[in-house]
Amino acid sequence: MSDSYQRPLPILTDENRHFWQGGRDGHLLLLRCRDCRYWVHTPQPRCTNCLSEALTSEPVSGKAEVETFTINIKPWGKGMKVPYVIAVVALPEQPGLRVTTNIVDIDPEAVYIGMAVEVRFEQDEDVWLPMFAPVAN
Amino acid sequence: MVDVVISGIGQSAVGRKVDRSGIAMTVDAVIAALADAGLDRKDIDGLSTYPGKLTGNLAHFSPVGTHELIEALKLRLDWYNGGGEGGAQQAGLLNAVAAIKAGYARHVIVFRTLKEGSGSLYWQQAAGPSAQRQRVGDRFEYLMPFDALTVINYVAMSMQRHFHLYGTTRRQLGAISVNGRTNAALNPAAIFRDPITIDDYLASRMISTPMCILDCDAPTDSSIAFILSNAEAARDLRSTPITIEAMAGALHSAASWDQTDMPHMGAHDAARQLWSRTALKPTDVDVAQLYDGFSFLTLTWLEALGFCGIGEGGAFVEGGHRIARDGELPLNTHGGQLSAGRTHGFGFVREAVIQLRREAGERQVPGDPQVAIASAGGGPQAGCMLLTRR
Ligand SMILES: [Zn+2]
């Protein structure tokens, strides 16, 4: 039994491996329909727009905008480091395309809605977590 | 068209920790509801609950399912139903209404039992140290790896966006918590009865910005049971029948917390559907019991149900005058879950019935309330019902 807190990690499956391991090559990969070009996130068996089965993973730009966020203050488990920022970020590739993440490399108090952020990856075991940080400059 | 009425209500002991098993508390609540209606268990032909019996880390969230109660009371049922998906915490009620209207049952027990005061939840387990690294799948897979471990975090993000879009403030929102506590002082069964002020609210401990501890309801051990009846069959019962004028549990937006449309959420879908099923209007409502698992959810319901405009909830509740017991829309008159304890939506329905029967004693709203509304849920789930005394 370890006393240091470890974040829960996803169970990797054929359906989600692209999302959690694309960061190994520096890419945020989401499913996209080859027929209608619609982005599908979270992963689904078919395109949610046209029901085509022709889904493959493609990289997004990695740019995003903070749609909303919260600074979590309360430690929920032993050894958890607080505060930290949980956010929903909107991806420019498609209206309503959003990812839940952490905003890192910034004072939590400085995060605001509408802030421009970009992806960076944090490896933890066999998972590359897509985190977002303020766009440089 | 078959009319459905609430013919009986019952509640077990409610507390932070109650020294009785989940099934014992459920039996207590059901016996009380049967006595209230003037029914015998032999009259019962239907049973409904939500989310059904859960095991493992979630056992405290729902320790009793239909099977335990059927055995405990030797029920002989024509129809029964449980399960964790549907119109939020009111799903068990919505299904019972449908069954009665379809003629599958005449008198249905609907219950909800919690041992959350005594127990823990999945996210607490996930956050605790353990011999093995936690791996998560299914519906929380895209949240928990970012330490978004609790619904508190998700609702806080919705709050933050509402504050951003509409200029809503903590001082405004806090009026919902203060109002609940004021009302709880008149409810002997409430968990927290000491009054609080808006300054207490503003000074209280932050959990996940902008949500503070006084925005969060209190986990309890409790069981509440209702008897829903075909109105014809209930004609000669002991209690004052309260008619379910309309119910709704629509979900047109996303079904998961990570993709729900913040800050509006499923409440808007269910609310729109509710008003499409009745000739009554928001202005006809005499007393409102709107889900406050978190205070912000009540604000969402006020807007969704049309008691004020979208984005105007903060201004509507500010200062607490409109929502007071003697205000234009008496709100959460038993204290809500924030102060009376988390009965997971069922306490609101019970209080609505009590107010319409004028059995609320000291906390009875003035006048002659004829129409009450009760809602449940937040985020991607929502259910609401309109009750009338005829
Ligand atoms: Zn497509």
Side-chain angles (χ1 to χ4, degrees), chain A residues 33 35-38 47 49-52:
Chain A
C33 178
D35 291 331
C36 77
R37 305 305 288 151
Y38 194 76
C47 172
N49 186 51
C50 76
L51 300 184
S52 164

Short mmCIF file of all heavy atoms in Angstrom, two decimals, chain A residues 33 35-38 47 49-52, ligand 1:
data_model
loop_
_atom_site.label_atom_id
_atom_site.label_comp_id
_atom_site.label_asym_id
_atom_site.label_seq_id
_atom_site.Cartn_x
_atom_site.Cartn_y
_atom_site.Cartn_z
N CYS A 33 -14.80 10.95 -38.79
CA CYS A 33 -15.51 10.19 -39.82
C CYS A 33 -14.89 10.47 -41.19
O CYS A 33 -14.75 11.63 -41.59
CB CYS A 33 -16.98 10.59 -39.82
SG CYS A 33 -17.94 9.76 -41.08
N ASP A 35 -16.24 9.72 -43.96
CA ASP A 35 -17.30 10.05 -44.92
C ASP A 35 -17.79 11.49 -44.80
O ASP A 35 -17.86 12.20 -45.79
CB ASP A 35 -18.48 9.08 -44.76
CG ASP A 35 -18.10 7.68 -45.21
OD1 ASP A 35 -17.24 7.57 -46.11
OD2 ASP A 35 -18.64 6.70 -44.66
N CYS A 36 -18.12 11.91 -43.58
CA CYS A 36 -18.69 13.27 -43.43
C CYS A 36 -17.73 14.22 -42.72
O CYS A 36 -18.06 15.39 -42.53
CB CYS A 36 -20.05 13.22 -42.74
SG CYS A 36 -19.96 12.96 -40.95
N ARG A 37 -16.58 13.74 -42.31
CA ARG A 37 -15.51 14.54 -41.70
C ARG A 37 -15.88 15.06 -40.30
O ARG A 37 -15.26 16.00 -39.79
CB ARG A 37 -15.10 15.72 -42.61
CG ARG A 37 -14.70 15.29 -44.01
CD ARG A 37 -13.58 14.26 -44.01
NE ARG A 37 -12.27 14.79 -43.62
CZ ARG A 37 -11.33 14.07 -43.01
NH1 ARG A 37 -11.54 12.80 -42.72
NH2 ARG A 37 -10.18 14.62 -42.68
N TYR A 38 -16.87 14.48 -39.68
CA TYR A 38 -17.29 14.90 -38.33
C TYR A 38 -16.34 14.31 -37.30
O TYR A 38 -15.92 13.16 -37.40
CB TYR A 38 -18.71 14.40 -38.09
CG TYR A 38 -19.43 15.00 -36.90
CD1 TYR A 38 -19.96 16.29 -36.96
CD2 TYR A 38 -19.61 14.27 -35.72
CE1 TYR A 38 -20.63 16.84 -35.88
CE2 TYR A 38 -20.29 14.81 -34.64
CZ TYR A 38 -20.79 16.09 -34.72
OH TYR A 38 -21.46 16.62 -33.65
N CYS A 47 -19.96 6.93 -36.49
CA CYS A 47 -20.07 8.39 -36.55
C CYS A 47 -21.43 8.81 -35.99
O CYS A 47 -22.47 8.31 -36.42
CB CYS A 47 -19.95 8.86 -37.99
SG CYS A 47 -20.31 10.62 -38.19
N ASN A 49 -22.82 11.57 -36.38
CA ASN A 49 -23.49 12.47 -37.32
C ASN A 49 -24.16 11.71 -38.45
O ASN A 49 -25.33 11.96 -38.75
CB ASN A 49 -22.47 13.47 -37.87
CG ASN A 49 -23.10 14.52 -38.75
OD1 ASN A 49 -24.08 15.15 -38.33
ND2 ASN A 49 -22.58 14.70 -39.94
N CYS A 50 -23.45 10.75 -39.08
CA CYS A 50 -24.01 10.08 -40.27
C CYS A 50 -24.11 8.56 -40.10
O CYS A 50 -24.55 7.86 -41.01
CB CYS A 50 -23.19 10.43 -41.51
SG CYS A 50 -21.61 9.55 -41.62
N LEU A 51 -23.67 8.05 -38.96
CA LEU A 51 -23.73 6.62 -38.63
C LEU A 51 -22.79 5.76 -39.47
O LEU A 51 -22.87 4.53 -39.43
CB LEU A 51 -25.16 6.07 -38.71
CG LEU A 51 -26.18 6.73 -37.77
CD1 LEU A 51 -27.54 6.03 -37.89
CD2 LEU A 51 -25.71 6.71 -36.33
N SER A 52 -21.90 6.39 -40.20
CA SER A 52 -20.88 5.62 -40.93
C SER A 52 -19.97 4.90 -39.94
O SER A 52 -19.72 5.38 -38.83
CB SER A 52 -20.04 6.58 -41.78
OG SER A 52 -18.84 5.94 -42.19
ZN ZN C 1 -20.00 10.73 -40.49
#
